[in-house]
Amino acid sequence: MQVTRIEQFGWRGAVEPGIGRVVSSHGDYYHLVCNETGGEIIARKKKSAWKPPAGGDKRVAVSSAALRETGGFVRTARPVRSETPEALSPITGDFVRFRYNPHGESLITEVLPRRSHFERKDPTAKRKAQTLAVNFDTIFIMMSLNEDFSTARIDRYLTLAEDMGDAEAVVVVTKADLRQDGDEEFINDLAETVDARAKIISISAFTGEGMESVLEYVKPGRTVAFIGSSGVGKSTLLNTLAGEEWAATQEIQEWSGKGRHTTTSRDLSMLPSGAMVIDTPGIREIGMIGETDEVRAKGSASHRWRK
């Protein structure tokens, strides 16, 4: 049986017209992949989009199929009500229902239930929840060997991941080619912190170390979300899996040993393998209230703990 485009992008429900997946957002507009003509559309999600036009005419532009089903008269759809306002705001990775209009704006009418989600407390918005990734099968919690190494930060990620739904967490230690004498102590600390909550893999996109373990998760129709601080190698790993330069990367700063932040928005990309990656912007704060971020200074002579 031939797999439809929306199924290629991870849809596992009944295949029906008007179902799409958000691969990127642009203000009030969303780039969707779907089974409709061309396989992708730009759709809008805004309350004002459902208001009847001046003069009281309640008809809206819809597809010819929809007109046939309703006898040529379709009343304006009302915004979907939900217990959470976020349901009215799709994000990258969401599956949505939309009203297709081949002659004008298509409209998103519903955000479909999420099978998995990862969220944090937003430090810029009075600690309300901020969803970072949705509808993934695996989340790569990434940390670099060449930056400040924080087992406490990984512990917080894993604590947040306990409520993420039907998905698996994997801790990915990047830039393994920069391993130094004494780093085994840090790796042991990490293993003790993670314990049985997640698998740990160490990789180097430069040498290829550990990449066979990564490939176990990038299978056709599966979605992997990359989560981690700026400069840990998310874009580099994406480029390695893609086999070409898809995402911008920055060289390591010699004075700090850190990579600079390069990803500024969420995008869902399909790899040549048929797997999908949601690459998220770097996270400065995990945002769990009442805790400080205890960071162990990897590479310092004394290997001291510092706040």
Side-chain angles (χ1 to χ4, degrees), residues 143 146-150 153 258 295-298 306:
M143 182 169 63
N146 78 303
E147 296 191 62
D148 284 352
F149 195 94
S150 173
R153 189 180 300 124
K258 297 182 180 182
V295 179
R296 195 169 189 186
K298 175 193 173 297
R306 65 182 176 88

Side-chain angles (χ1 to χ4, degrees), residues 1 9 34 57 106 114 125 138 153 175 202 210 214 234 265:
M1 180 182 297
F9 275 81
C34 57
D57 186 356
S106 296
R114 296 163 174 171
T138 306
R153 189 180 300 124
K175 304 177 185 178
S202 296
V214 172
K234 298 190 298 293
S265 62

Side-chain angles (χ1 to χ4, degrees), residues 203-212 214-215 218 226 233-247 249 271-272 277:
I203 69 168
S204 168
F206 180 71
T207 67
E209 177 183 344
M211 291 303 296
E212 67 279 358
V214 172
L215 295 179
V218 288
F226 292 177
K234 298 190 298 293
S235 295
T236 298
L237 178 57
L238 175 59
N239 289 336
T240 301
L241 293 172
E244 56 184 311
E245 195 77 6
W246 278 8
T249 60
L271 300 172
V277 169

Side-chain angles (χ1 to χ4, degrees), residues 65 85 182 194:
V194 173

Side-chain angles (χ1 to χ4, degrees), residues 177-207:
D177 55 290
L178 300 179
R179 187 183 293 110
Q180 300 175 358
D181 292 340
D183 282 352
E184 196 63 32
E185 181 183 356
F186 294 99
I187 298 298
N188 290 338
D189 287 342
L190 178 64
E192 183 178 348
T193 298
V194 173
D195 197 24
R197 293 184 291 173
K199 182 178 179 180
I200 302 174
I201 58 178
S202 296
I203 69 168
S204 168
F206 180 71
T207 67

